[in-house]
Structures are given as C-alpha cells and as structure tokens.
Amino acid sequence: MQVEPFLIEPQRARDRARVVELLRQAQLVEQDLQSGQAAVDFLVMREAGQVIGAVGLQSANGAGLLRSLVVVPSLHRQGRGAALVAAAEQLAARRGIDDMFLLTTEAAGFFALLDYLRVDRASAPPAVQQTSQFSFSCPASAVCMHKKLRA
C-alpha cells in the first residue's frame, strides 16, 4: 500500500519484535498483543527496509479500533503518523468498517487534526468497549475519539 510518499504494508512475522520494541519505547500498550488477547492487524511503515512506524486496526463487530500508532521519535512531525492513520482507515473501509474509535492519553490534538472527535467513552459500541484496550489496558482518563469513515 502506498500512502504518498511512504511505503506502508501489512506487518510480516519478522516485523513483530520490532513493532513491540517501538510500542515499548513509546510506552504504549502491548501486553495484550503479546498474550494473544487482542487480534490486531498491524500496518508498518518502512524506510530503507527498516520498520520505522506502525499502527494497529482491531475489528470489533463492525466497528474499528485504531490503536498503537507509533513512529520513531526522530521522525515525528513529518506526516508519517497521519499517513499510517490514513492507511489504517483505508484498510478499515475495505473491510466494511464505517466507524473508527480510539483511546489516547496524549495525542487528542493530533487525532483532532485528522477529523476524530472526542466522544464519551460509553458511546462506543459494546464490542469496542469489550476489547482489552478499552476494558483494562487504557486508563479511564484516556480520551475516547470517533471518526465516521463513510455516511
């Protein structure tokens, strides 16, 4: 998948350790991924063959949970995070997902720039609320955001 000008593709088995390393460095939730509690499809961004960013899409009974967006810190503020989100949204749309949700403790402003709106956590569909990220991984203080992908 090409989200200009970045190469973004599905995570390969050999990428898993690098994605987990990036998530740990960014202090993002990865325990449920390691334990297999969460079925998350990751997209990775590569430069010179190296994984420099990733984003996860978790399907939840017709809704999508955008999670684990990470980019190598030295490459922040260059459009990479937005490109990863756009790629995850494209993947979600191809899968028939119309509503995307996310939780964030620090990046609400970034996601607002990408048309995500703050919503009450209780307004997320039950299947989203039952994911490990919603039920126990993210603190209750995390901001819940929503984006309608298509009307």
Side-chain angles (χ1 to χ4, degrees), residues 2 7 10 27 33 49-50 60 66 70 73 83 108-109 118-120 137 143:
Q2 192 78 23
L7 173 63
Q27 298 180 328
L33 303 172
Q50 301 298 312
L66 183 75
V70 64
R118 289 175 183 244
V119 295
D120 186 83
S137 297
V143 173

Side-chain angles (χ1 to χ4, degrees), residues 58-73:
Q58 185 171 358
S59 296
N61 199 27
L65 179 60
L66 183 75
R67 56 175 290 174
S68 308
L69 175 64
V70 64
V71 174
V72 171

